Amino acid sequence: QVQLVESGGGVVQAGGSLRLSCTASGRTFSNYSVGWFRQAPGKERDFVAGIQWTGYTFYGDSVKGRFSMSRDNAKKTVYLQMNSLRPGDTAVYYCAAARQIATDRENEYDYWGQGTQVTVSS
């Protein structure tokens, strides 16, 4: 199986930036799709961004133009660059990996990290 560990969360003022990392171990990673999801207290878990093994990226409507994903297969790590952060971005952010091409559906992903807290203050 694959183990995923997120890092990079924290507290930032509105308009600021953070970069989240997700590092994988256990199995090959380069051909996996990787997605980011987030969940605020009392709300559903929403899709944020995804990257396929080809490098193709896709984003949820609420973060388009502000967030971007990249991957470093040699390090088995994917990144989520978060710019122009808003208080509404406050949530626990989870990375997830899929053994085949995946989109924005939670049930397409096979492995999940523990989450990292992002708090955006006004």
Side-chain angles (χ1 to χ4, degrees), residues 14 25 38 41 47-48 51 72 76 78 100-102 108 118 122:
S25 63
R38 67 187 183 186
F47 173 78
V48 176
I51 188 167
D72 185 336
K76 294 186 175 182
V78 300
Q100 52 192 310
I101 292 175
E108 293 180 341
V118 172
S122 300

Side-chain angles (χ1 to χ4, degrees), residues 62-81:
S62 64
V63 305
K64 287 180 179 177
R66 299 189 297 122
F67 293 6
S68 62
M69 279 194 72
S70 61
R71 68 190 300 166
D72 185 336
N73 288 334
K75 297 181 178 180
K76 294 186 175 182
T77 299
V78 300
Y79 305 95
L80 180 66
Q81 180 66 47

